[in-house]
Amino acid sequence: MRDIVLKLCWLPQYHCHPFFHRKATTVASTMRLAHMAGIETFVTGGTGGVHRGAEQTMDVSADLHELARTPVLVVSAGVKSILDVRLTLEVLETMGVPVAAYGADDFPAFFSPRSGASTPWRIDSASEAATAFLAARRLGLPSGMLVAVPNNDPAGEAVESAIQEALIEAAEAEIVGRDVTPFVLSRVSEKTAGDSLRSNTALVSNNAEVAADIAVAISEAALEEPPSLSLCVESFHGDEHVPKFHSVTSSFPSSSHPEKLPTSRVVVLGGSVVDLVAKPEEGTDLIPGTSNPGRCSESDGGVGRNVAEVLGRLGASPILYSAVGNDYLGQGIISRLEDECGVVGARKTVATVSGENNRTATYLAVMNSLGDLHTAIADAAVLQHIPVPSQEVLAAADVLVMDANAPIDTLARAARSAVDTGVDVFFEPTSVPKASMTGRSTEFLSCLTYAFPNVAEILAMADGWSDSPEDIDEACHDDLKTLKTAALELLRQMRPQEAHIIITMGEDGVLLASRHGPGAKPIFSHFPPEDGVVVENSTGAGDTLCGAFVKARLDGHEVASAVKIGMEAAVKSLQCRDRAISPTLSSKISKC
């Protein structure tokens, strides 16, 4: 069931200042916060609007602008009667905001059930409001919706009369601008002997009851719709932030989509995850079964997202196909991809998926004192909805980079589509279970030109099975014999024309296995690690190597040179304590 937002005692732009800790947000601010949290129904007392005399002062509430650009259904007792109700309705109509009165033909004016202005549209049930709101979402309309509920408290009419008297007094006293509202409210409280507060309480309670019914109706109606993804497409015009939502199938994006999708030389398909990393205090070992003192951090992660960030920071302007939940974590990831990481069009290509089990993916990693992974848990059901790039997008690309977070049929379909359009496929196996899964798909492996497994993942990909810790340890201490055998088997199954495997071995460096042409003898090259590197966090090192390698190949470097560039970039992320990918990466690395 959808939640309902009342008023939040927090101002986002001033939340650090103690003076504002007990203040309340405006309708505009709360709409934005509700939308960021995936909440679709918001109830308040009354909404702002066009102030009296606005033709001279241009005093128009930001609530109207937010209603025009944020898809949240707002339930109120109408426009506050100290405002110009008729002009407010005209402005809302101009901005394309659906406005309805609940069970009334006369538009409410906060305390009074009648403002004297006819309502633009009458609705008589919660299901009718829900149907209209969801129809707008399916059409991709950016605006919210205002439902005005008449206040039938008996004191309302007397309070409204007091308001009109106070407005006359304000005009006679030449009180204008921002001073009008506090003057009127003070005079109304005096004139009504407290009835205004009681009536205000009654109308908020009435509004909340109607809003709850509408929220339930929206939730029930949404469950009856055929399953689809809700792709959040947000665009910026100056300081204005305009969200738009489109319903799409799992094969999105398609060439029939009304907005032109971004293109790039490099397309990334994979997971977007919030990483939670815990590391014990320096010099201490983890003690199982109890709490360990240490340091915890949160950052954006996910193999696909990480690789896209690396490419973006190195100046490759990649596009990312991924999926996040319809929540504040997902919206934050999307915003940072474009605004900070240099990823192109993330608001158009990262699908925002609604549903109880589709929250934004999270990854909890526990590191040992050396900075290496001890254990991890991933909550990533939403990644089953990662969309496949269209033929049009792939046709404009040179490279498709994939992680293993999407379902295997999605991976195989995307890889085959890339090969058919002449695009090289780069693959990061992500984890041992996922490496095993892909190792059992000969169709998928035959599309790969490049793979970036670690030691455990190469063993799993080669035979489709997970190996024991003892087998993995043996593979690290037999002069690379086991790794080379696994690489030979995997090279045999990869793309016939050419194939390369870049095996990351932690403190033992990187092993490159290459086959140039069908039937050619594989060539192995070992690249030792840089001496004296202090490892703070290894969670993004492999992804950084992959992204920097891809950028180097796009820039024309040979494979061996690209490995060295990738390893240099990986060192920067190894030394970054609080983030998977170092923000110090720049295009200078790929020019070495």
Side-chain angles (χ1 to χ4, degrees), residues 35-60:
H35 175 52
M36 290 172 65
I39 296 170
E40 295 176 321
T41 309
F42 154 50
V43 59
T44 187
T47 52
V50 179
H51 286 250
R52 296 171 188 256
E55 59 272 18
Q56 280 82 39
T57 64
M58 299 300 295
D59 192 354
V60 178

CSV table of all heavy atoms in Angstrom, one decimal, residues 35-60:
chain,number,residue,atom,x,y,z
A,35,HIS,N,8.1,12.5,-3.9
A,35,HIS,CA,8.4,11.9,-5.2
A,35,HIS,C,9.8,11.2,-5.2
A,35,HIS,O,9.9,10.0,-5.7
A,35,HIS,CB,8.5,13.0,-6.3
A,35,HIS,CG,8.9,12.5,-7.6
A,35,HIS,ND1,8.3,11.4,-8.3
A,35,HIS,CD2,9.9,12.9,-8.5
A,35,HIS,CE1,8.9,11.2,-9.4
A,35,HIS,NE2,9.9,12.1,-9.6
A,36,MET,N,10.8,11.8,-4.5
A,36,MET,CA,12.1,11.1,-4.4
A,36,MET,C,12.0,9.8,-3.6
A,36,MET,O,12.8,8.9,-3.9
A,36,MET,CB,13.1,12.1,-3.7
A,36,MET,CG,13.5,13.3,-4.5
A,36,MET,SD,14.4,14.5,-3.6
A,36,MET,CE,15.9,13.5,-3.2
A,37,ALA,N,11.1,9.7,-2.7
A,37,ALA,CA,10.9,8.5,-1.9
A,37,ALA,C,9.9,7.5,-2.5
A,37,ALA,O,9.7,6.5,-1.9
A,37,ALA,CB,10.4,8.9,-0.5
A,38,GLY,N,9.4,7.8,-3.7
A,38,GLY,CA,8.5,6.9,-4.4
A,38,GLY,C,7.1,6.9,-3.8
A,38,GLY,O,6.3,6.0,-4.0
A,39,ILE,N,6.7,8.0,-3.1
A,39,ILE,CA,5.4,8.2,-2.6
A,39,ILE,C,4.5,9.0,-3.5
A,39,ILE,O,4.9,10.0,-4.0
A,39,ILE,CB,5.4,8.9,-1.2
A,39,ILE,CG1,6.2,8.0,-0.2
A,39,ILE,CG2,4.0,9.2,-0.7
A,39,ILE,CD1,6.5,8.6,1.1
A,40,GLU,N,3.3,8.5,-3.8
A,40,GLU,CA,2.5,9.1,-4.9
A,40,GLU,C,1.4,10.0,-4.4
A,40,GLU,O,0.8,10.7,-5.2
A,40,GLU,CB,2.0,8.0,-5.8
A,40,GLU,CG,3.1,7.3,-6.6
A,40,GLU,CD,2.6,6.1,-7.4
A,40,GLU,OE1,1.6,5.4,-6.9
A,40,GLU,OE2,3.1,5.9,-8.5
A,41,THR,N,1.0,9.9,-3.1
A,41,THR,CA,-0.1,10.6,-2.6
A,41,THR,C,0.3,11.4,-1.4
A,41,THR,O,0.9,10.9,-0.5
A,41,THR,CB,-1.3,9.7,-2.1
A,41,THR,OG1,-1.6,8.8,-3.2
A,41,THR,CG2,-2.5,10.5,-1.8
A,42,PHE,N,0.0,12.7,-1.4
A,42,PHE,CA,0.5,13.6,-0.3
A,42,PHE,C,-0.7,14.5,0.1
A,42,PHE,O,-1.4,15.0,-0.7
A,42,PHE,CB,1.6,14.5,-0.9
A,42,PHE,CG,1.8,15.8,-0.2
A,42,PHE,CD1,1.9,16.0,1.1
A,42,PHE,CD2,2.0,17.0,-1.0
A,42,PHE,CE1,2.1,17.2,1.7
A,42,PHE,CE2,2.2,18.2,-0.4
A,42,PHE,CZ,2.2,18.3,0.9
A,43,VAL,N,-0.9,14.6,1.4
A,43,VAL,CA,-2.1,15.4,1.9
A,43,VAL,C,-1.6,16.6,2.7
A,43,VAL,O,-0.6,16.5,3.5
A,43,VAL,CB,-3.0,14.5,2.8
A,43,VAL,CG1,-2.3,13.9,4.0
A,43,VAL,CG2,-4.2,15.3,3.2
A,44,THR,N,-2.2,17.7,2.6
A,44,THR,CA,-1.9,18.9,3.3
A,44,THR,C,-3.2,19.7,3.6
A,44,THR,O,-4.3,19.2,3.3
A,44,THR,CB,-1.0,19.8,2.4
A,44,THR,OG1,-0.5,20.9,3.2
A,44,THR,CG2,-1.7,20.3,1.2
A,45,GLY,N,-3.0,20.8,4.3
A,45,GLY,CA,-4.2,21.7,4.6
A,45,GLY,C,-4.7,22.4,3.4
A,45,GLY,O,-5.7,22.1,2.8
A,46,GLY,N,-3.9,23.4,2.9
A,46,GLY,CA,-4.3,24.1,1.7
A,46,GLY,C,-3.0,24.4,0.9
A,46,GLY,O,-1.9,24.4,1.4
A,47,THR,N,-3.2,24.5,-0.4
A,47,THR,CA,-2.1,24.8,-1.2
A,47,THR,C,-1.9,26.3,-1.5
A,47,THR,O,-2.8,27.1,-1.3
A,47,THR,CB,-2.3,24.1,-2.6
A,47,THR,OG1,-3.5,24.5,-3.1
A,47,THR,CG2,-2.2,22.6,-2.5
A,48,GLY,N,-0.7,26.7,-1.8
A,48,GLY,CA,-0.4,28.1,-2.2
A,48,GLY,C,-1.0,28.4,-3.6
A,48,GLY,O,-1.5,27.5,-4.2
A,49,GLY,N,-0.8,29.6,-4.0
A,49,GLY,CA,-1.3,30.0,-5.3
A,49,GLY,C,-0.9,31.4,-5.7
A,49,GLY,O,0.2,31.9,-5.3
A,50,VAL,N,-1.8,32.0,-6.5
A,50,VAL,CA,-1.5,33.4,-6.9
A,50,VAL,C,-2.0,34.4,-5.9
A,50,VAL,O,-3.2,34.3,-5.5
A,50,VAL,CB,-2.2,33.7,-8.3
A,50,VAL,CG1,-1.9,35.1,-8.7
A,50,VAL,CG2,-1.7,32.7,-9.3
A,51,HIS,N,-1.1,35.2,-5.4
A,51,HIS,CA,-1.5,36.2,-4.3
A,51,HIS,C,-2.3,37.3,-4.9
A,51,HIS,O,-2.1,37.7,-6.1
A,51,HIS,CB,-0.2,36.7,-3.6
A,51,HIS,CG,0.4,35.8,-2.7
A,51,HIS,ND1,0.4,35.9,-1.3
A,51,HIS,CD2,1.0,34.6,-2.9
A,51,HIS,CE1,1.0,34.9,-0.8
A,51,HIS,NE2,1.4,34.1,-1.7
A,52,ARG,N,-3.1,37.9,-4.1
A,52,ARG,CA,-3.9,39.1,-4.6
A,52,ARG,C,-2.9,40.2,-4.9
A,52,ARG,O,-2.0,40.5,-4.2
A,52,ARG,CB,-4.9,39.5,-3.5
A,52,ARG,CG,-5.9,38.5,-3.1
A,52,ARG,CD,-6.7,38.8,-1.9
A,52,ARG,NE,-7.6,37.7,-1.5
A,52,ARG,CZ,-8.9,37.7,-1.7
A,52,ARG,NH1,-9.5,38.7,-2.3
A,52,ARG,NH2,-9.6,36.6,-1.3
A,53,GLY,N,-3.2,40.8,-6.0
A,53,GLY,CA,-2.3,41.9,-6.5
A,53,GLY,C,-1.1,41.4,-7.2
A,53,GLY,O,-0.1,42.1,-7.4
A,54,ALA,N,-1.1,40.1,-7.6
A,54,ALA,CA,0.1,39.5,-8.3
A,54,ALA,C,0.4,40.2,-9.6
A,54,ALA,O,1.6,40.1,-10.1
A,54,ALA,CB,-0.1,38.0,-8.5
A,55,GLU,N,-0.6,40.9,-10.2
A,55,GLU,CA,-0.3,41.6,-11.4
A,55,GLU,C,0.8,42.7,-11.2
A,55,GLU,O,1.4,43.1,-12.2
A,55,GLU,CB,-1.5,42.1,-12.1
A,55,GLU,CG,-2.3,43.1,-11.2
A,55,GLU,CD,-3.3,42.5,-10.2
A,55,GLU,OE1,-3.1,41.2,-10.0
A,55,GLU,OE2,-4.2,43.1,-9.7
A,56,GLN,N,0.9,43.2,-10.0
A,56,GLN,CA,1.9,44.1,-9.7
A,56,GLN,C,3.1,43.5,-9.0
A,56,GLN,O,4.3,43.8,-9.3
A,56,GLN,CB,1.4,45.3,-8.8
A,56,GLN,CG,0.6,46.3,-9.5
A,56,GLN,CD,-0.8,45.9,-9.7
A,56,GLN,OE1,-1.4,45.3,-8.8
A,56,GLN,NE2,-1.4,46.3,-10.8
A,57,THR,N,2.9,42.6,-8.1
A,57,THR,CA,4.0,42.0,-7.3
A,57,THR,C,4.6,40.7,-7.9
A,57,THR,O,5.7,40.4,-7.5
A,57,THR,CB,3.4,41.6,-5.9
A,57,THR,OG1,2.5,40.6,-6.0
A,57,THR,CG2,2.8,42.8,-5.2
A,58,MET,N,3.9,40.1,-8.8
A,58,MET,CA,4.4,38.8,-9.4
A,58,MET,C,4.6,37.7,-8.3
A,58,MET,O,5.4,36.8,-8.4
A,58,MET,CB,5.7,39.0,-10.2
A,58,MET,CG,5.5,39.9,-11.3
A,58,MET,SD,4.3,39.4,-12.5
A,58,MET,CE,5.0,37.9,-13.1
A,59,ASP,N,3.8,37.8,-7.2
A,59,ASP,CA,3.9,36.9,-6.1
A,59,ASP,C,3.1,35.7,-6.3
A,59,ASP,O,1.8,35.7,-6.2
A,59,ASP,CB,3.5,37.6,-4.8
A,59,ASP,CG,3.9,36.8,-3.5
A,59,ASP,OD1,4.4,35.7,-3.7
A,59,ASP,OD2,3.7,37.4,-2.4
A,60,VAL,N,3.7,34.6,-6.8
A,60,VAL,CA,3.0,33.4,-7.1
A,60,VAL,C,3.8,32.2,-6.4
A,60,VAL,O,5.0,32.1,-6.4
A,60,VAL,CB,3.1,33.1,-8.6
A,60,VAL,CG1,2.4,31.7,-8.9
A,60,VAL,CG2,2.4,34.2,-9.4
